[in-house]
Amino acid sequence: VKLSLTNRPGNEATIILSTYDFVSANKLFCYNLVTTLPETRTEATPFSSYISLTSYLFQHAHRSSRSAQYTCLCLYTIQLIVEDQNLVRRICSEESKTAVRLCRQRQPFLPLVRGDRVMVTVIMDLMIDGINHNLRRRLEVEFYILCTGILLRIISFLGKSRIRIGT
């Protein structure tokens, strides 16, 4: 029994379903999730915390079907945010720069980046990292379609709006 409990995501994962429900039903919640700043400079923004949780789920999505479902739910939430033109413009702007702690537990490791980054670069790293770490397992078609769809939306938005992003 203890072994089966260790393969499941922690209690923090329960917030994922609520976040998805709010993001899909309420555009004001989406805007506040993306734009809310922390009270102090040392704290993480709500969106960077959500991205960080998603990165940890990505690297362990293959462990159980429950983890895979939580990971896909995170992807659906990010997809809804990226589909909104105003929100994607916001996460591509310099105003969205923040520090995000990405999971670096499995090879190939993402490069360690210290300091603040534009949020869209973090999301792109997250999608590429998710694909890299889950290629060796049984093919999860829905997972790969969501990751490549998010990347496609971001890249097409950047191309249409002629926005150049830095790291």
Side-chain angles (χ1 to χ4, degrees):
V1 172
K2 283 190 176 186
L3 182 60
S4 66
L5 289 176
T6 59
N7 289 336
R8 294 189 174 150
N11 294 336
E12 305 86 24
T14 57
I15 196 76
I16 295 169
L17 182 59
S18 301
T19 305
Y20 173 75
D21 282 340
F22 281 119
V23 165
S24 64
N26 190 338
K27 294 298 178 189
L28 182 59
F29 178 83
C30 290
Y31 180 78
N32 286 330
L33 177 67
V34 171
T35 61
T36 300
L37 298 174
E39 291 181 17
T40 64
R41 186 74 176 130
T42 58
E43 293 178 5
T45 66
F47 193 53
S48 66
S49 296
Y50 187 79
I51 295 296
S52 181
L53 173 64
T54 302
S55 81
Y56 280 86
L57 283 172
F58 268 31
Q59 291 206 4
H60 303 290
H62 65 278
R63 288 199 172 178
S64 70
S65 62
R66 187 175 181 179
S67 293
Q69 290 170 347
Y70 279 133
T71 303
C72 283
L73 200 55
C74 288
L75 284 171
Y76 282 123
T77 303
I78 293 170
Q79 181 181 25
L80 287 170
I81 291 172
V82 171
E83 285 175 346
D84 187 313
Q85 294 293 314
N86 294 326
L87 293 177
V88 76
R89 182 171 286 113
R90 170 72 179 176
I91 63 173
C92 289
S93 73
E94 291 289 321
E95 297 169 359
S96 73
K97 273 192 169 184
T98 188
V100 178
R101 184 182 175 123
L102 294 178
C103 184
R104 299 178 65 241
Q105 295 177 346
R106 293 179 52 216
Q107 292 184 356
F109 296 119
L110 282 173
L112 181 61
V113 178
R114 299 194 188 276
D116 294 350
R117 296 174 62 197
V118 176
M119 190 57 73
V120 75
T121 59
V122 176
I123 293 173
M124 291 173 74
D125 280 349
L126 181 65
M127 295 303 118
I128 293 167
D129 192 45
I131 291 170
N132 283 340
H133 285 111
N134 294 292
L135 277 176
R136 298 183 187 122
R137 304 289 172 202
R138 186 175 51 94
L139 185 64
E140 297 286 338
V141 176
E142 181 183 10
F143 177 80
Y144 296 115
I145 290 172
L146 286 168
C147 285
T148 54
I150 290 169
L151 282 172
L152 178 66
R153 280 182 178 84
I154 290 172
I155 292 170
S156 65
F157 175 79
L158 291 171
K160 287 178 192 174
S161 10
R162 298 183 186 259
I163 295 175
R164 295 184 61 154
I165 53 174
T167 55

